[in-house]
Amino acid sequence: MSSLDVDGMRGRLEEERERLLKSARYLHQEHSGSMEDELGELSGGGGGDNHLADMATVTYDRELDQGLEEGVQQTVERIDAALARIANGTYGVCEVCGNPIAPARLEAIPWTTRCIDDAKR
């Protein structure tokens, strides 16, 4: 692992973590109210003046954003785990076989826990 710049990887991981958290905050702010608020209905009014397609669009957008937020959270957790491995000196070691993970693989996916061979299995 001598060719791996661990300090540089720590910086990349921290930057990616902050970028992802900023994206999640943005998504959350975009849909901070209820669906009724987004559709412009009076709260509890049940006016029924919204078209089904409008409701479907809002529902789809919210579900898509929730999926994106979940993906962000999972990646942030992986980044946190990678930062912990850096701190304890096990970063860049495959969790399955114990061999070093190729620097090129870590450059591509800095939070990976497996070498390419074990990742393929």
Side-chain angles (χ1 to χ4, degrees), residues 33-85:
S34 68
M35 285 181 55
E36 288 81 16
D37 291 341
E38 193 165 337
L39 289 168
E41 292 181 359
L42 297 174
S43 61
D49 58 347
N50 286 308
H51 193 276
L52 287 176
D54 293 335
M55 293 176 64
T57 298
V58 169
T59 301
Y60 173 80
D61 288 346
R62 282 188 173 239
E63 288 178 1
L64 179 63
D65 287 350
Q66 283 178 332
L68 292 171
E69 284 185 70
E70 288 173 17
V72 163
Q73 186 58 40
Q74 290 173 355
T75 303
V76 167
E77 289 170 6
R78 291 179 181 133
I79 289 171
D80 288 343
L83 291 168
R85 289 191 302 277

Side-chain angles (χ1 to χ4, degrees), residues 19-32 65 69:
R19 186 189 70 77
L20 289 169
L21 291 174
K22 185 177 179 181
S23 295
R25 283 190 299 270
Y26 174 78
L27 287 172
H28 187 70
Q29 289 170 352
E30 283 294 298
H31 299 292
S32 59
D65 287 350
E69 284 185 70

Side-chain angles (χ1 to χ4, degrees), residues 9-26:
M9 295 305 289
R10 180 185 297 115
R12 282 190 57 207
L13 286 163
E14 290 170 347
E15 287 174 12
E16 182 65 7
R17 183 180 194 282
E18 184 55 37
R19 186 189 70 77
L20 289 169
L21 291 174
K22 185 177 179 181
S23 295
R25 283 190 299 270
Y26 174 78

